[in-house]
Amino acid sequence: MSKIAILGTGSWATGLARVLNDNGHEIMMYGIDQSEINDINIRHCNYKYFKDVHLEKGIVATLSLEKTMEDASYILITIPTQFVKDTLLKVKPLLKEKITVINAAKGFDMNTNMRMSETIRDVFTESEINPVVSLIGPSHAEEVVERILTAVCSVSLDEGTAQDVQKLFSNQYFRVYTSNDEIGAEYGAAYKNVIAVASGIIAGLGYGDNTRAALITRGLHEMSLYGVVKGGQRETYFGLTGIGDLIVTCSSVHSRNYQAGLEIGESNRAIDFMAHNTKTCEGVRTCKVIHDDVSQHSYGIETPIVDAVYRVLYENADPKATVAELMSRDLKSEQL
């Protein structure tokens, strides 16, 4: 049995905590919301996220980062990406021996635009942590917490560490594969959130399955082009962290990115959403990061879907007119 320090008390933290608890490990979740802590410890639920889920008594939470880190062998990151670096800086002085950091956040650092694995290595030295692992793939917390069959990837530059985390999480309903393509997997996990926003927009505008199929297919093409020029492997995009993650995020009502797009599409404008949204929606900022990156560098690729979502989110373009513009682009081969 290992102790896992989980940074976060949200939906994904809770879902993965149940997986680890089912596997016989000791769980300690770190949070900053007293009501969530009380729900988990006293009422054995996390009512803010799951109305009808009763949690096991082995799943516990605390406001104390020191208590969370005590005797932990693993750190599991489930908090929004904009809080990751500051939280890890608080963790750093609490480390007493080498530890494995598992990242389950999808996106980029707010200040540096680095991938999460890069951000983790920017905070910790090689003497403080084992090779970083990302746990990513097509998975919604709402289904994982209900023990619905799920498959994800343990991604690390070090095969042994990836296999260690694979064994840590794997059970009869949560199957974990391994991969060494950190760059490709992490860019895919981030990029698909932008495509999911686009998927919500077209649903909100009233388009159907044909439109979503076209979006997902061309979105996969687009995200693989970007991932490869950034150093990822093309084959990764035909796996769980590519097409798998893209399908579930673009098609499920559980996806916050899809829901954000749906709200924008239904009103045919993004200005109200951008002004009042308080939910974590990684695709909104990821869109800007990718758009700016491609605009500023000579990669030799086109990213029309990201560009279209960017115009809707940041230039107040009309969503319906923007879809029409995408359909009116110059005709070309599917492979380009």
Side-chain angles (χ1 to χ4, degrees), residues 189-201 215 222 246 249-250 257 282-288 290 305-307 309-310 313:
Y191 206 115
K192 55 89 181 174
N193 286 331
V194 186
I195 310 301
V197 174
S199 182
I201 290 174
L215 174 73
E222 188 173 307
L246 187 63
T249 313
C250 288
N257 293 285
E282 297 284 3
V284 171
R285 185 171 181 280
T286 296
C287 177
K288 187 176 189 309
I290 296 172
I305 299 173
V306 163
D307 295 344
V309 175
Y310 178 87
L313 295 177

Side-chain angles (χ1 to χ4, degrees), residues 168-239:
L168 190 75
F169 282 90
S170 292
N171 59 29
Q172 69 275 14
Y173 65 87
F174 198 80
R175 182 173 176 83
V176 184
Y177 293 83
T178 61
S179 169
N180 63 1
D181 185 13
E182 177 188 285
I183 294 175
E186 290 190 3
Y187 275 119
Y191 206 115
K192 55 89 181 174
N193 286 331
V194 186
I195 310 301
V197 174
S199 182
I201 290 174
I202 63 173
L205 290 172
Y207 295 107
D209 293 340
N210 291 359
T211 315
R212 180 176 289 109
L215 174 73
I216 291 175
T217 306
R218 296 308 297 172
L220 176 64
H221 177 73
E222 188 173 307
M223 66 190 274
S224 66
L225 289 179
Y226 182 73
V228 169
V229 300
K230 298 297 287 187
Q233 301 166 17
R234 188 171 184 271
E235 294 79 6
T236 296
Y237 296 95
F238 297 97

Side-chain angles (χ1 to χ4, degrees), residues 63-81:
L63 294 171
S64 169
L65 191 55
E66 291 78 6
K67 187 175 180 180
T68 304
M69 293 304 305
E70 186 177 349
D71 299 324
S73 301
Y74 301 86
I75 300 171
L76 175 61
I77 302 170
T78 66
I79 55 180
T81 55

Side-chain angles (χ1 to χ4, degrees), residues 56-333:
E56 293 70 31
K57 292 182 179 179
I59 299 174
V60 295
T62 178
L63 294 171
S64 169
L65 191 55
E66 291 78 6
K67 187 175 180 180
T68 304
M69 293 304 305
E70 186 177 349
D71 299 324
S73 301
Y74 301 86
I75 300 171
L76 175 61
I77 302 170
T78 66
I79 55 180
T81 55
Q82 65 262 37
F83 304 122
V84 168
K85 187 167 187 176
D86 286 346
T87 305
L88 293 183
L89 287 170
K90 295 175 183 176
V91 167
K92 186 179 174 73
L94 302 176
L95 296 183
K96 292 182 171 55
E97 57 185 35
K98 207 168 188 180
I99 197 168
T100 298
V101 181
I102 307 165
N103 169 57
K106 302 175 181 180
F108 304 109
D109 179 81
M110 179 168 283
N111 296 313
T112 65
N113 293 338
M114 289 193 296
R115 293 180 287 109
M116 284 294 98
S117 290
E118 294 175 308
T119 300
I120 294 165
R121 288 191 289 264
D122 189 50
V123 174
F124 299 117
T125 65
E126 289 186 9
S127 64
E128 292 173 317
I129 62 170
N130 296 314
V132 178
V133 179
S134 287
L135 190 73
I136 45 183
S139 49
H140 286 307
E142 292 83 356
E143 296 192 2
V144 171
V145 79
E146 295 279 5
R147 300 187 176 98
I148 292 174
L149 303 185
T150 300
V152 299
C153 270
S154 172
V155 184
S156 178
L157 299 176
D158 181 77
E159 183 178 1
T161 311
Q163 291 173 346
D164 177 44
V165 172
Q166 178 185 44
K167 294 172 184 175
L168 190 75
F169 282 90
S170 292
N171 59 29
Q172 69 275 14
Y173 65 87
F174 198 80
R175 182 173 176 83
V176 184
Y177 293 83
T178 61
S179 169
N180 63 1
D181 185 13
E182 177 188 285
I183 294 175
E186 290 190 3
Y187 275 119
Y191 206 115
K192 55 89 181 174
N193 286 331
V194 186
I195 310 301
V197 174
S199 182
I201 290 174
I202 63 173
L205 290 172
Y207 295 107
D209 293 340
N210 291 359
T211 315
R212 180 176 289 109
L215 174 73
I216 291 175
T217 306
R218 296 308 297 172
L220 176 64
H221 177 73
E222 188 173 307
M223 66 190 274
S224 66
L225 289 179
Y226 182 73
V228 169
V229 300
K230 298 297 287 187
Q233 301 166 17
R234 188 171 184 271
E235 294 79 6
T236 296
Y237 296 95
F238 297 97
L240 290 168
T241 61
I243 184 63
D245 217 352
L246 187 63
I247 289 172
V248 75
T249 313
C250 288
S251 306
S252 174
V253 294
H254 295 314
S255 168
R256 282 173 291 192
N257 293 285
Y258 175 87
Q259 289 293 339
L262 186 65
E263 181 179 334
I264 292 167
E266 288 175 342
S267 64
N268 200 34
R269 51 187 280 167
I271 190 168
D272 294 333
F273 171 83
M274 295 295 282
H276 302 111
N277 177 58
T278 58
K279 297 180 180 179
T280 300
C281 181
E282 297 284 3
V284 171
R285 185 171 181 280
T286 296
C287 177
K288 187 176 189 309
V289 172
I290 296 172
H291 173 271
D292 291 351
D293 184 35
V294 174
S295 299
Q296 294 165 11
H297 297 87
S298 301
Y299 292 137
I301 63 171
E302 293 182 341
T303 55
I305 299 173
V306 163
D307 295 344
V309 175
Y310 178 87
R311 291 196 301 274
V312 169
L313 295 177
Y314 294 100
E315 296 177 353
N316 202 30
D318 180 280
K320 196 171 188 69
T322 302
V323 172
E325 290 172 9
L326 279 174
M327 291 297 291
S328 301
R329 296 173 68 239
D330 290 343
L331 301 177
K332 62 180 183 178
S333 167

